[in-house]
Amino acid sequence: SLKSLGDCGFDKDKNNIYFDGARIYNSYAKPPFNINDKEHFEVLPNCFSKDSRNVYAIVLAEPLCEVCNARILFPIKEIDPNTTKVLNENYLVDKNSVFYSNYHSVDYYGVFKVDSADPLTFKVVIGKDWDAEDGHIKYKYGKIYISTQ
């Protein structure tokens, strides 16, 4: 019997985790993967997910497959699943790094590391020309923000 894991399209039975109705297997990822760690799989805020080995982001399939009209789950490279915190729909932090996710992009599987960001002081901001900052730098869309004024 299939059990829903919330509003993001994930389901689970006694043998597998499913995403958008299909057993999770992604042949676009390098290397291809499936989720074997169903005991530790959990859905995080903003439809990110994780198990004991990986954190996963959802990207649109269309840039990868011109005949596809679906969402694809990708493991985020270089992120620690044990210390990951989701800040909003775009930013995640772990103990070492900050990551930016762009759902509509497949650059770095839709997620890239914000190399200059300090994960200890990094925070999302609202109502500014930039969308995040750390103790030293302001960021917009995961890149260093440079004011044009």
Side-chain angles (χ1 to χ4, degrees), residues 35-142:
I35 294 178
N36 297 318
D37 186 13
K38 65 183 183 328
E39 292 80 27
H40 296 103
F41 183 83
E42 65 181 288
V43 179
L44 301 173
N46 296 297
C47 294
F48 292 98
S49 56
K50 73 175 188 170
D51 59 21
S52 63
R53 295 178 297 253
N54 292 296
V55 176
Y56 304 95
I58 298 169
V59 297
L60 296 178
E62 291 164 350
L64 296 172
C65 173
E66 293 177 12
V67 297
C68 299
N69 185 16
R71 303 178 306 163
I72 296 177
L73 196 67
F74 273 103
I76 300 172
K77 295 182 179 184
E78 301 178 43
I79 195 168
D80 176 18
N82 298 315
T83 63
T84 296
K85 290 192 313 191
V86 176
L87 301 180
N88 69 3
E89 67 275 6
N90 297 110
Y91 288 103
L92 303 92
V93 296
D94 69 8
K95 66 181 179 181
N96 299 312
S97 304
V98 175
F99 297 84
Y100 182 81
S101 172
N102 182 348
Y103 184 87
H104 299 287
S105 170
V106 292
D107 296 335
Y108 201 72
Y109 305 130
V111 180
F112 61 86
K113 190 186 287 189
V114 182
D115 290 322
S116 55
D118 174 14
L120 298 177
T121 61
F122 192 87
K123 63 183 179 181
V124 172
V125 298
I126 298 171
K128 306 278 187 184
D129 288 340
W130 56 95
D131 58 14
E133 61 190 27
D134 63 18
H136 308 284
I137 301 172
K138 294 171 178 45
Y139 301 89
K140 187 167 188 170
Y141 309 129

